[in-house]
mmCIF file of all heavy atoms in Angstrom:
data_model
loop_
_atom_site.group_PDB
_atom_site.id
_atom_site.type_symbol
_atom_site.label_atom_id
_atom_site.label_comp_id
_atom_site.label_asym_id
_atom_site.label_seq_id
_atom_site.Cartn_x
_atom_site.Cartn_y
_atom_site.Cartn_z
ATOM 1 N N GLN C 1 0.727 -1.199 0.010
ATOM 2 C CA GLN C 1 -0.017 -0.050 -0.012
ATOM 3 C C GLN C 1 0.883 1.272 0.016
ATOM 4 O O GLN C 1 0.310 2.299 0.185
ATOM 5 C CB GLN C 1 -0.940 -0.010 1.263
ATOM 6 C CG GLN C 1 -1.927 -1.242 1.260
ATOM 7 C CD GLN C 1 -2.932 -1.034 2.540
ATOM 8 O OE1 GLN C 1 -3.137 0.032 3.025
ATOM 9 N NE2 GLN C 1 -3.351 -2.278 2.865
ATOM 10 N N LEU C 2 2.021 1.172 -0.133
ATOM 11 C CA LEU C 2 3.030 2.245 -0.213
ATOM 12 C C LEU C 2 3.013 2.688 -1.662
ATOM 13 O O LEU C 2 4.012 2.539 -2.392
ATOM 14 C CB LEU C 2 4.398 1.874 0.310
ATOM 15 C CG LEU C 2 4.420 1.432 1.774
ATOM 16 C CD1 LEU C 2 5.795 1.026 2.202
ATOM 17 C CD2 LEU C 2 4.026 2.550 2.734
ATOM 18 N N LEU C 3 2.117 3.460 -1.993
ATOM 19 C CA LEU C 3 1.902 3.952 -3.358
ATOM 20 C C LEU C 3 2.440 5.307 -3.730
ATOM 21 O O LEU C 3 2.301 5.786 -4.902
ATOM 22 C CB LEU C 3 0.372 3.856 -3.713
ATOM 23 C CG LEU C 3 -0.255 2.480 -3.421
ATOM 24 C CD1 LEU C 3 -1.852 2.606 -3.804
ATOM 25 C CD2 LEU C 3 0.400 1.469 -4.214
ATOM 26 N N SER C 4 2.905 6.157 -2.769
ATOM 27 C CA SER C 4 3.371 7.365 -3.011
ATOM 28 C C SER C 4 4.290 7.819 -1.785
ATOM 29 O O SER C 4 4.258 7.124 -0.832
ATOM 30 C CB SER C 4 2.234 8.450 -3.139
ATOM 31 O OG SER C 4 1.545 8.613 -1.940
ATOM 32 N N ALA C 5 4.974 8.902 -2.036
ATOM 33 C CA ALA C 5 5.776 9.384 -0.970
ATOM 34 C C ALA C 5 5.070 9.659 0.458
ATOM 35 O O ALA C 5 5.486 9.565 1.499
ATOM 36 C CB ALA C 5 6.652 10.573 -1.385
ATOM 37 N N GLN C 6 3.742 10.195 0.166
ATOM 38 C CA GLN C 6 2.977 10.407 1.293
ATOM 39 C C GLN C 6 2.511 9.272 2.126
ATOM 40 O O GLN C 6 1.937 9.385 3.183
ATOM 41 C CB GLN C 6 1.762 11.237 0.899
ATOM 42 C CG GLN C 6 2.002 12.763 0.410
ATOM 43 C CD GLN C 6 2.743 12.727 -0.911
ATOM 44 O OE1 GLN C 6 2.528 11.863 -1.788
ATOM 45 N NE2 GLN C 6 3.621 13.751 -1.017
ATOM 46 N N SER C 7 2.606 8.033 1.511
ATOM 47 C CA SER C 7 2.249 6.889 2.153
ATOM 48 C C SER C 7 3.124 6.389 3.211
ATOM 49 O O SER C 7 2.792 5.570 4.108
ATOM 50 C CB SER C 7 1.956 5.730 1.165
ATOM 51 O OG SER C 7 1.122 6.130 0.167
ATOM 52 N N TYR C 8 4.403 6.870 3.138
ATOM 53 C CA TYR C 8 5.382 6.315 4.206
ATOM 54 C C TYR C 8 5.362 7.093 5.444
ATOM 55 O O TYR C 8 4.953 8.227 5.579
ATOM 56 C CB TYR C 8 6.816 6.517 3.476
ATOM 57 C CG TYR C 8 7.101 5.682 2.335
ATOM 58 C CD1 TYR C 8 6.729 5.981 0.972
ATOM 59 C CD2 TYR C 8 7.677 4.482 2.440
ATOM 60 C CE1 TYR C 8 6.974 5.229 -0.072
ATOM 61 C CE2 TYR C 8 8.076 3.634 1.417
ATOM 62 C CZ TYR C 8 7.617 4.133 0.055
ATOM 63 O OH TYR C 8 7.834 3.294 -1.024
ATOM 64 N N ASN C 9 5.868 6.341 6.525
ATOM 65 C CA ASN C 9 6.056 6.895 7.841
ATOM 66 C C ASN C 9 7.426 6.670 8.179
ATOM 67 O O ASN C 9 7.766 5.535 8.759
ATOM 68 C CB ASN C 9 4.975 6.176 8.783
ATOM 69 C CG ASN C 9 5.276 6.610 10.237
ATOM 70 O OD1 ASN C 9 5.991 7.630 10.447
ATOM 71 N ND2 ASN C 9 4.676 5.810 11.229
ATOM 72 N N PRO C 10 8.372 7.640 8.100
ATOM 73 C CA PRO C 10 9.733 7.415 8.427
ATOM 74 C C PRO C 10 10.039 7.467 10.061
ATOM 75 O O PRO C 10 11.284 7.454 10.262
ATOM 76 C CB PRO C 10 10.475 8.547 7.732
ATOM 77 C CG PRO C 10 9.435 9.656 7.657
ATOM 78 C CD PRO C 10 8.008 9.001 7.660
ATOM 79 N N TYR C 11 9.015 7.465 10.855
ATOM 80 C CA TYR C 11 9.303 7.707 12.313
ATOM 81 C C TYR C 11 9.204 6.367 12.930
ATOM 82 O O TYR C 11 8.376 5.428 12.563
ATOM 83 C CB TYR C 11 8.320 8.708 12.904
ATOM 84 C CG TYR C 11 8.222 9.955 12.087
ATOM 85 C CD1 TYR C 11 7.004 10.436 11.564
ATOM 86 C CD2 TYR C 11 9.439 10.637 11.831
ATOM 87 C CE1 TYR C 11 6.957 11.496 10.854
ATOM 88 C CE2 TYR C 11 9.408 11.766 11.129
ATOM 89 C CZ TYR C 11 8.160 12.225 10.546
ATOM 90 O OH TYR C 11 8.096 13.428 9.861
ATOM 91 N N LEU C 12 9.860 6.106 14.016
ATOM 92 C CA LEU C 12 9.774 4.965 14.778
ATOM 93 C C LEU C 12 8.462 4.930 15.586
ATOM 94 O O LEU C 12 7.787 5.954 15.776
ATOM 95 C CB LEU C 12 11.001 4.780 15.724
ATOM 96 C CG LEU C 12 12.252 4.553 14.985
ATOM 97 C CD1 LEU C 12 13.578 4.641 15.873
ATOM 98 C CD2 LEU C 12 12.291 3.161 14.409
ATOM 99 N N PRO C 13 8.018 3.842 16.099
ATOM 100 C CA PRO C 13 6.695 3.597 16.574
ATOM 101 C C PRO C 13 6.189 4.578 17.678
ATOM 102 O O PRO C 13 5.034 5.119 17.715
ATOM 103 C CB PRO C 13 6.583 2.060 17.053
ATOM 104 C CG PRO C 13 7.545 1.466 16.156
ATOM 105 C CD PRO C 13 8.646 2.452 15.894
ATOM 106 N N ALA C 14 7.121 4.967 18.564
ATOM 107 C CA ALA C 14 6.668 5.741 19.715
ATOM 108 C C ALA C 14 6.322 7.108 19.334
ATOM 109 O O ALA C 14 5.532 7.788 20.135
ATOM 110 C CB ALA C 14 7.793 5.817 20.716
ATOM 111 N N MET C 15 6.717 7.629 18.153
ATOM 112 C CA MET C 15 6.208 8.995 17.731
ATOM 113 C C MET C 15 4.700 9.031 17.592
ATOM 114 O O MET C 15 4.115 10.124 17.620
ATOM 115 C CB MET C 15 6.922 9.257 16.361
ATOM 116 C CG MET C 15 6.663 10.768 15.790
ATOM 117 S SD MET C 15 7.374 12.001 16.907
ATOM 118 C CE MET C 15 9.192 11.754 16.537
ATOM 119 N N SER C 16 4.062 7.876 17.355
ATOM 120 C CA SER C 16 2.631 7.697 17.199
ATOM 121 C C SER C 16 1.866 8.349 18.406
ATOM 122 O O SER C 16 0.741 8.737 18.200
ATOM 123 C CB SER C 16 2.129 6.404 16.949
ATOM 124 O OG SER C 16 2.955 5.694 15.870
ATOM 125 N N VAL C 17 2.499 8.312 19.549
ATOM 126 C CA VAL C 17 1.799 8.865 20.717
ATOM 127 C C VAL C 17 1.216 10.175 20.608
ATOM 128 O O VAL C 17 0.209 10.608 21.244
ATOM 129 C CB VAL C 17 2.801 8.804 22.014
ATOM 130 C CG1 VAL C 17 3.824 9.800 21.898
ATOM 131 C CG2 VAL C 17 2.041 9.001 23.310
ATOM 132 N N PHE C 18 1.948 11.069 19.830
ATOM 133 C CA PHE C 18 1.422 12.467 19.576
ATOM 134 C C PHE C 18 0.166 12.465 18.639
ATOM 135 O O PHE C 18 -0.493 13.495 18.618
ATOM 136 C CB PHE C 18 2.492 13.324 18.932
ATOM 137 C CG PHE C 18 3.664 13.504 19.913
ATOM 138 C CD1 PHE C 18 4.919 12.928 19.562
ATOM 139 C CD2 PHE C 18 3.544 14.319 20.985
ATOM 140 C CE1 PHE C 18 6.012 13.100 20.431
ATOM 141 C CE2 PHE C 18 4.646 14.475 21.820
ATOM 142 C CZ PHE C 18 5.968 13.863 21.555
ATOM 143 N N GLY C 19 -0.190 11.379 18.150
ATOM 144 C CA GLY C 19 -1.513 11.314 17.368
ATOM 145 C C GLY C 19 -2.623 10.874 18.184
ATOM 146 O O GLY C 19 -3.817 10.972 17.660
ATOM 147 N N PHE C 20 -2.448 10.356 19.419
ATOM 148 C CA PHE C 20 -3.500 9.952 20.216
ATOM 149 C C PHE C 20 -4.594 10.894 20.600
ATOM 150 O O PHE C 20 -5.767 10.576 20.627
ATOM 151 C CB PHE C 20 -2.997 9.176 21.442
ATOM 152 C CG PHE C 20 -2.342 7.872 21.160
ATOM 153 C CD1 PHE C 20 -1.655 7.175 22.272
ATOM 154 C CD2 PHE C 20 -2.476 7.250 19.896
ATOM 155 C CE1 PHE C 20 -1.194 5.946 21.881
ATOM 156 C CE2 PHE C 20 -1.902 6.021 19.605
ATOM 157 C CZ PHE C 20 -1.272 5.369 20.603
ATOM 158 N N PRO C 21 -4.154 12.169 20.981
ATOM 159 C CA PRO C 21 -5.211 13.264 21.336
ATOM 160 C C PRO C 21 -6.180 13.447 20.187
ATOM 161 O O PRO C 21 -7.335 13.519 20.432
ATOM 162 C CB PRO C 21 -4.382 14.435 21.588
ATOM 163 C CG PRO C 21 -3.104 13.869 22.062
ATOM 164 C CD PRO C 21 -2.816 12.686 21.194
ATOM 165 N N SER C 22 -5.754 13.539 19.010
ATOM 166 C CA SER C 22 -6.609 13.714 17.876
ATOM 167 C C SER C 22 -7.535 12.519 17.689
ATOM 168 O O SER C 22 -8.777 12.618 17.414
ATOM 169 C CB SER C 22 -5.849 13.988 16.616
ATOM 170 O OG SER C 22 -6.736 14.035 15.455
ATOM 171 N N LEU C 23 -6.873 11.350 17.839
ATOM 172 C CA LEU C 23 -7.658 10.127 17.794
ATOM 173 C C LEU C 23 -8.782 9.926 18.881
ATOM 174 O O LEU C 23 -9.920 9.388 18.611
ATOM 175 C CB LEU C 23 -6.712 8.854 17.748
ATOM 176 C CG LEU C 23 -7.436 7.512 17.494
ATOM 177 C CD1 LEU C 23 -7.858 7.461 16.042
ATOM 178 C CD2 LEU C 23 -6.321 6.476 17.629
ATOM 179 N N ALA C 24 -8.535 10.529 19.905
ATOM 180 C CA ALA C 24 -9.526 10.453 21.179
ATOM 181 C C ALA C 24 -10.577 11.459 20.877
ATOM 182 O O ALA C 24 -11.472 11.586 21.676
ATOM 183 C CB ALA C 24 -8.691 10.843 22.466
ATOM 184 N N GLY C 25 -10.512 12.347 19.930
ATOM 185 C CA GLY C 25 -11.670 13.200 19.523
ATOM 186 C C GLY C 25 -11.435 14.593 19.990
ATOM 187 O O GLY C 25 -12.390 15.432 19.934
ATOM 188 N N LEU C 26 -10.238 14.973 20.524
ATOM 189 C CA LEU C 26 -9.996 16.435 20.863
ATOM 190 C C LEU C 26 -10.024 17.341 19.637
ATOM 191 O O LEU C 26 -9.345 16.941 18.583
ATOM 192 C CB LEU C 26 -8.706 16.489 21.506
ATOM 193 C CG LEU C 26 -8.597 15.909 23.050
ATOM 194 C CD1 LEU C 26 -7.202 16.131 23.550
ATOM 195 C CD2 LEU C 26 -9.669 16.377 23.811
ATOM 196 N N PRO C 27 -10.727 18.333 19.662
ATOM 197 C CA PRO C 27 -10.940 19.146 18.364
ATOM 198 C C PRO C 27 -9.823 20.090 18.184
ATOM 199 O O PRO C 27 -9.181 20.619 18.953
ATOM 200 C CB PRO C 27 -12.220 19.864 18.646
ATOM 201 C CG PRO C 27 -12.232 20.087 20.111
ATOM 202 C CD PRO C 27 -11.573 18.851 20.652
ATOM 203 N N GLY C 28 -9.578 20.480 16.846
ATOM 204 C CA GLY C 28 -8.701 21.529 16.452
ATOM 205 C C GLY C 28 -7.317 21.469 16.959
ATOM 206 O O GLY C 28 -6.715 20.374 17.143
ATOM 207 N N ASP C 29 -6.799 22.516 17.555
ATOM 208 C CA ASP C 29 -5.562 22.598 18.024
ATOM 209 C C ASP C 29 -5.372 21.763 19.193
ATOM 210 O O ASP C 29 -4.194 21.276 19.531
ATOM 211 C CB ASP C 29 -5.158 24.049 18.526
ATOM 212 C CG ASP C 29 -5.134 25.009 17.214
ATOM 213 O OD1 ASP C 29 -5.048 24.519 16.083
ATOM 214 O OD2 ASP C 29 -5.057 26.222 17.523
ATOM 215 N N LEU C 30 -6.426 21.508 20.064
ATOM 216 C CA LEU C 30 -6.278 20.587 21.264
ATOM 217 C C LEU C 30 -5.954 19.251 20.830
ATOM 218 O O LEU C 30 -5.292 18.570 21.635
ATOM 219 C CB LEU C 30 -7.611 20.642 22.026
ATOM 220 C CG LEU C 30 -8.065 21.857 22.693
ATOM 221 C CD1 LEU C 30 -9.250 21.741 23.449
ATOM 222 C CD2 LEU C 30 -6.842 22.264 23.771
ATOM 223 N N GLY C 31 -6.371 18.686 19.726
ATOM 224 C CA GLY C 31 -6.008 17.441 19.328
ATOM 225 C C GLY C 31 -4.783 17.321 18.342
ATOM 226 O O GLY C 31 -4.391 16.257 17.974
ATOM 227 N N SER C 32 -4.252 18.475 17.785
ATOM 228 C CA SER C 32 -3.296 18.481 16.704
ATOM 229 C C SER C 32 -2.010 17.875 17.314
ATOM 230 O O SER C 32 -1.489 18.231 18.385
ATOM 231 C CB SER C 32 -3.030 19.794 16.091
ATOM 232 O OG SER C 32 -1.890 19.871 15.436
ATOM 233 N N PRO C 33 -1.418 16.977 16.581
ATOM 234 C CA PRO C 33 -0.102 16.468 17.046
ATOM 235 C C PRO C 33 0.951 17.556 17.083
ATOM 236 O O PRO C 33 1.849 17.373 17.998
ATOM 237 C CB PRO C 33 0.325 15.510 15.878
ATOM 238 C CG PRO C 33 -0.931 15.013 15.281
ATOM 239 C CD PRO C 33 -1.950 16.152 15.380
ATOM 240 N N ALA C 34 0.865 18.540 16.213
ATOM 241 C CA ALA C 34 1.794 19.668 16.344
ATOM 242 C C ALA C 34 1.739 20.398 17.601
ATOM 243 O O ALA C 34 2.704 20.786 18.267
ATOM 244 C CB ALA C 34 1.526 20.676 15.225
ATOM 245 N N SER C 35 0.431 20.505 18.214
ATOM 246 C CA SER C 35 0.351 21.230 19.414
ATOM 247 C C SER C 35 0.979 20.475 20.614
ATOM 248 O O SER C 35 1.604 20.952 21.483
ATOM 249 C CB SER C 35 -1.129 21.510 19.778
ATOM 250 O OG SER C 35 -1.864 22.290 18.838
ATOM 251 N N TRP C 36 0.664 19.089 20.611
ATOM 252 C CA TRP C 36 1.327 18.310 21.614
ATOM 253 C C TRP C 36 2.790 18.148 21.557
ATOM 254 O O TRP C 36 3.519 18.117 22.562
ATOM 255 C CB TRP C 36 0.621 16.922 21.637
ATOM 256 C CG TRP C 36 -0.744 17.033 22.180
ATOM 257 C CD1 TRP C 36 -1.863 17.246 21.469
ATOM 258 C CD2 TRP C 36 -1.165 16.934 23.440
ATOM 259 N NE1 TRP C 36 -2.976 17.246 22.337
ATOM 260 C CE2 TRP C 36 -2.634 17.024 23.552
ATOM 261 C CE3 TRP C 36 -0.472 16.622 24.729
ATOM 262 C CZ2 TRP C 36 -3.306 17.006 24.755
ATOM 263 C CZ3 TRP C 36 -1.141 16.740 25.967
ATOM 264 C CH2 TRP C 36 -2.508 16.918 25.941
#
């Protein structure tokens, strides 16, 4: 399923923790990985 450069994830698994707030439903900036 790696069909384009945007399909890749060059980070190791623990970086995914910053995506959990958005996944939990926090809206906007509160859930953005960038904010965390």
